[in-house]
Amino acid sequence: MEQVIIAVGDMCGPPRKNPGAVATADLARRIIAKHPGAIILALGDNAYNRGRIDEYRDYYTPTWGQPDLLGRTYSCPGNHDYRTAAATPYFEYFGEQRVGTPKRSYFSMPLADAGWHVVSLNSEVDQDAHSPQLQWLREDLAQRRFKPILAIWHRPRWGSGAHRGSKKPRWFWNELYAARAELILNGHAHHYERFAPQRPDQIPDPRGPRMFIVGTGGRSLKGRTQDTPNSEFARFDKFGVLKLTLRPDAYRWEFMGVDDRVLDTGEQPVNERGA
């Protein structure tokens, strides 16, 4: 059995500054037509510029917020969502089952068909070693039903684009590395980038998580500003989505542009990394 996932962030807002939102939503529909059981992981900053309810209504709903997409979407919040107090419109728009609550804005879910465990975390609230979020994460990973782990949150730890990286998620990385997580997906930076498996201190390690940045959902793209260790592939000029195919023993990735071209692809067995 397998599970197809469509992952992307930084989608919707005023058309002048978010020119790719319509095309990426249409791409998601074409993927779903071939894979009706696919789910969507939205990687934050879904509605610009302040995550207000009118921005979700006016910009997100006509594209990514239509019932055929919204009903299969799970999300993590972004920094723009918190430009409105407590990101309240974000939580109200998606609902508790899709994003958690303002009090506990992180959640997990099993993907039984693929035998994977998905964790959605919040890079915009406390996440240090003694925070409720980190304590919850430790317990959740220890009690999970399935071994392979896919984690999402908004701000990437490292990146080669205009937003570069953030020290905030280092605590997430420590826990996920210890649990031998497979995949980490982030948005925030408006480009696509794939990293080799690595440790939390950026030392290459085949047992470490592989990280993707997929901030290519619609917001104006940004170019390269630096070369980052362990970056294997990056595109700064194409809107698109990351299509993942998860199986109990392996995962496959495809970064697809809005013209349906596959711009980056690969596959890795889960058991290649050890445990």
Side-chain angles (χ1 to χ4, degrees):
M1 299 291 286
E2 64 183 32
Q3 174 69 59
V4 171
I5 288 176
I6 300 165
V8 70
D10 305 86
M11 289 92 88
C12 307
R16 183 174 63 85
K17 293 186 176 182
N18 296 70
V22 173
T24 54
D26 288 343
L27 171 60
R29 290 187 175 91
R30 293 194 295 275
I31 295 172
I32 291 166
K34 296 179 180 178
H35 305 280
I39 65 171
I40 295 167
L41 298 179
L43 305 178
D45 283 1
N46 308 316
Y48 285 89
N49 192 42
R50 306 184 69 86
R52 299 192 310 260
I53 195 63
D54 63 294
E55 291 170 337
Y56 272 99
R57 181 193 65 223
D58 294 345
Y59 303 129
Y60 193 87
T61 295
T63 54
W64 283 90
Q66 291 295 294
D68 58 332
L69 301 185
L70 186 61
R72 64 181 77 226
T73 297
Y74 301 85
S75 186
C76 61
N79 55 297
H80 282 265
D81 291 301
Y82 278 88
R83 291 188 177 183
T84 297
T88 300
Y90 163 83
F91 292 103
E92 291 179 347
Y93 186 85
F94 287 104
E96 181 176 352
Q97 297 302 313
R98 306 289 180 181
V99 298
T101 68
K103 186 174 182 179
R104 201 181 86 172
S105 52
Y106 35 88
F107 65 94
S108 68
M109 60 183 182
L111 299 179
D113 286 348
W116 280 62
H117 185 75
V118 174
V119 182
S120 175
L121 300 171
N122 188 344
S123 60
E124 309 310 308
V125 300
D126 286 347
Q127 56 198 262
D128 63 25
H130 304 293
S131 67
Q133 183 170 198
L134 257 288
Q135 294 175 27
W136 173 87
L137 178 60
R138 294 187 191 106
E139 294 172 2
D140 179 78
L141 295 179
Q143 297 171 6
R144 72 189 189 274
R145 177 182 172 190
F146 300 114
K147 182 179 175 182
I149 301 163
L150 184 161
I152 69 171
W153 66 83
H154 185 59
R155 295 177 190 258
R157 180 68 180 90
W158 306 284
S160 302
H163 284 72
R164 301 199 176 191
S166 171
K167 292 182 179 179
K168 295 178 70 175
R170 65 190 184 277
W171 302 102
F172 295 158
W173 265 85
N174 291 341
E175 298 299 327
L176 292 163
Y177 178 79
R180 294 289 182 254
E182 299 283 343
L183 292 170
I184 292 172
L185 311 182
N186 306 126
H188 190 57
H190 305 159
H191 71 281
Y192 170 80
E193 192 162 8
R194 167 173 53 85
F195 288 82
Q198 58 187 316
R199 298 185 340 197
D201 58 2
Q202 286 187 284
I203 301 300
D205 185 346
R207 299 172 299 172
R210 182 186 295 280
M211 180 183 118
F212 290 86
I213 297 173
V214 200
T216 52
R219 191 69 164 176
S220 296
L221 301 171
K222 304 292 184 181
R224 181 187 293 273
T225 62
Q226 63 179 359
D227 294 319
T228 306
N230 304 317
S231 176
E232 293 183 319
F233 182 86
R235 288 294 297 256
F236 300 86
D237 60 340
K238 295 293 184 182
F239 292 111
V241 305
L242 178 66
K243 175 189 171 188
L244 294 172
T245 305
L246 307 182
R247 300 191 302 273
D249 60 347
Y251 63 89
R252 180 177 181 80
W253 70 86
E254 298 169 87
F255 177 61
M256 300 180 64
V258 294
D259 58 359
D260 294 331
R261 290 179 57 203
V262 175
L263 303 173
D264 180 40
T265 188
E267 184 166 346
Q268 183 165 330
V270 169
N271 60 14
E272 201 173 82
R273 297 169 51 256

